[in-house]
Amino acid sequence: MNGTLRILGVFAHPDDESFCAGGTFARYAQQGAEIKVIAATPGDAGQIRDAQVATRRTLGLVRQEELQRACQQLGVQHVECWNYRDGTLSKVNMEELVGDVVRAIRKFRPHIVITFGPDGGYGHPDHIAISEATTRACTLSGNDDAYCTQFQSGLTAYTPERLYYACFPQSHTLFSERLVRWLVSLEDRFAGTMDFVHALLLLSEETTMLHYASDYVEVKWFPAGFYIIEQGEPATRLYFILSGSAQVIREHMDGTQEVLATIGAGRFFGEDGLATGLPRNAHVIASESVTCLIFSPSQPTNFAGRGEAAQFTGQTAAQLDGTADPEAATTCIDVTPFVQQKMNAIAQHRTQFPMAPDMFPLEMLQDIFGNEYFVRVLPQRTLEHEL
């Protein structure tokens, strides 16, 4: 590659850049690369998870501003947000969308282009459409007969040297296992604020959806008096209370019971058994209606037993934990030193992810987000560790 390395990221929405390639952009920006990120839509059909920062009417403009701030955190020098309608990329005139990407390539003249793969990461129609448009554009941008009216404005034909798809191979890493390590290392029992409750919900949802972790995560309601955990049964799940309260009760050999604690929203429970591999050492009984976020190493069976003699209780974290299986990827980028920048960028997208970047321990986040994977499409190549 001659001169300064130029990288172009073409995505569907603000925040795609941070989750797909945030660490990679930060790494190469530090090395002196010139980077441009394009979001084809302003993301105005997305969620509003913090009503204090946007309304439905203002969401598109706010998300464009969030994109600018996120890219600043990553060291990205150039940012564009186009005006295609969020949620409609699969229905727009594909030739027009391809032409816009061709124009962007001819203008910026990147050595490397990054976009979604044909599956859109997790099947999002907008992601799939921008993948198709960008792939076609990379093959047409060097063709003098394609979109030749663009040459009237001084552009010339140009073909990028490489095209990469962001890839999310299923990781065997367990988010819950990383949480347990952190929790048992603390001197005092953790008690999270409602902001932490919200952040944990979002982070667990995103990590499992994008295959950064393989936990089965569910939200479950328990009525008052329900034994959420029974003393003596195998430890297979980590619980986090979203609302309500419960009592931790130890049952002694003579049948007497001792109340050890009352726990409420923002408290984890179940981490001790997961950390030691020993059976549960106390009951946890709902004092009132309790809603919990529950992390399991696999989807629980419908016939799981309870109590000390329970069978078919599910696999433990120790049985399933491991690293990502990058079979589908050709390129693995170690972004461990840049995970904090990635989290700083994600936190700028407050309408979607209202969280503080330091809510979770950096070591845990590095375990989960420390590698970013890509498939090299043009030209094809086997596994590599550099773009």
Side-chain angles (χ1 to χ4, degrees):
M1 297 179 184
N2 297 322
T4 301
L5 176 65
R6 292 185 301 278
I7 302 175
L8 174 64
V10 186
F11 304 104
H13 316 102
D15 77 38
D16 291 342
E17 81 296 330
S18 297
F19 278 103
C20 288
T24 299
F25 288 147
R27 171 176 164 170
Y28 282 91
Q30 186 188 74
Q31 295 177 7
E34 186 177 1
I35 303 173
K36 182 172 186 175
V37 163
I38 294 172
T41 82
D44 51 317
Q47 300 287 342
I48 302 175
R49 291 181 167 129
D50 187 343
Q52 296 182 7
V53 297
T55 65
R56 182 55 57 189
R57 181 170 295 183
T58 65
L59 181 60
L61 179 60
V62 171
R63 291 197 70 184
Q64 291 182 61
E65 294 169 349
E66 291 175 340
L67 175 63
Q68 293 282 348
R69 293 195 297 270
C71 286
Q72 288 174 6
Q73 292 290 331
L74 299 174
V76 172
Q77 303 95 335
H78 311 284
V79 185
E80 285 186 15
C81 192
W82 296 344
N83 289 319
Y84 286 96
R85 289 185 58 195
D86 186 6
T88 70
L89 285 185
S90 62
K91 302 174 184 177
V92 302
N93 183 321
M94 182 55 68
E95 297 307 313
E96 178 183 347
L97 181 58
V98 171
D100 284 341
V101 182
V102 167
R103 182 182 295 106
I105 291 172
R106 288 171 172 173
K107 184 176 181 180
F108 186 61
R109 306 180 80 79
H111 299 97
I112 293 170
V113 176
I114 298 174
T115 189
F116 282 102
D119 64 348
Y122 52 89
H124 194 303
D126 280 0
H127 297 177
I128 294 171
I130 202 64
S131 172
E132 178 185 349
T134 304
T135 302
R136 289 178 56 186
C138 284
T139 62
L140 292 174
S141 58
N143 187 339
D144 287 329
D145 295 325
Y147 299 97
C148 49
T149 58
Q150 295 179 2
F151 302 142
Q152 298 172 8
S153 60
L155 297 178
T156 57
Y158 176 83
T159 301
E161 295 180 20
R162 300 179 188 174
L163 169 64
Y164 289 91
Y165 291 154
C167 177
F168 305 96
Q170 180 64 61
S171 170
H172 300 300
T173 294
L174 292 174
F175 188 35
S176 56
E177 200 271 342
R178 271 58 182 174
L179 283 170
V180 166
R181 287 185 196 172
W182 170 47
L183 292 170
V184 299
S185 72
L186 301 175
E187 292 185 5
D188 301 316
R189 288 282 181 178
F190 179 83
T193 64
M194 291 311 296
D195 285 341
F196 180 88
V197 171
H198 197 183
L200 181 62
L201 272 168
L202 296 174
L203 188 62
S204 60
E205 176 184 273
E206 202 71 21
T207 54
T208 53
M209 181 173 65
L210 292 177
H211 300 162
Y212 282 112
S214 60
D215 305 72
Y216 180 79
V217 182
E218 60 181 330
V219 175
K220 197 167 182 178
W221 173 81
F222 303 94
F226 192 95
Y227 278 73
I228 305 173
I229 281 179
E230 289 191 36
Q231 183 174 321
E233 66 187 10
T236 59
R237 303 179 192 177
L238 177 67
Y239 297 80
F240 182 72
I241 299 179
L242 301 176
S243 65
S245 63
Q247 285 191 319
V248 182
I249 297 175
R250 179 161 295 152
E251 186 172 342
H252 298 291
M253 293 295 292
D254 61 3
T256 60
Q257 295 186 339
E258 175 188 4
V259 178
L260 302 180
T262 298
I263 53 177
R267 287 287 300 271
F268 287 94
F269 63 92
E271 67 270 23
D272 291 339
L274 289 171
T276 63
L278 298 175
R280 302 296 193 185
N281 59 15
H283 304 297
V284 178
I285 304 172
S287 304
E288 56 184 336
S289 295
V290 174
T291 302
C292 289
L293 181 67
I294 307 172
F295 298 87
S296 306
S298 59
Q299 185 170 356
T301 67
N302 292 324
F303 46 84
R306 300 297 305 275
E308 295 183 35
Q311 303 292 318
F312 307 111
T313 56
Q315 293 172 295
T316 66
Q319 291 171 317
L320 287 182
D321 191 28
T323 57
D325 177 8
E327 284 188 4
T330 63
T331 308
C332 174
I333 305 296
D334 181 0
V335 299
T336 303
F338 304 97
V339 167
Q340 187 61 67
Q341 281 180 260
K342 182 184 179 92
M343 296 307 299
N344 292 346
I346 291 171
Q348 298 305 315
H349 293 286
R350 187 162 181 83
T351 56
Q352 309 304 300
F353 306 100
M355 64 177 69
D358 59 354
M359 276 185 170
F360 302 94
L362 180 59
E363 183 179 359
M364 181 184 81
L365 296 173
Q366 288 174 329
D367 276 349
I368 297 171
F369 297 113
N371 289 314
E372 290 180 346
Y373 294 93
F374 302 90
V375 175
R376 180 166 159 176
V377 183
L378 300 172
Q380 294 182 355
R381 188 173 175 179
T382 57
L383 184 65
E384 57 188 350
H385 299 281
E386 295 283 346
L387 291 180

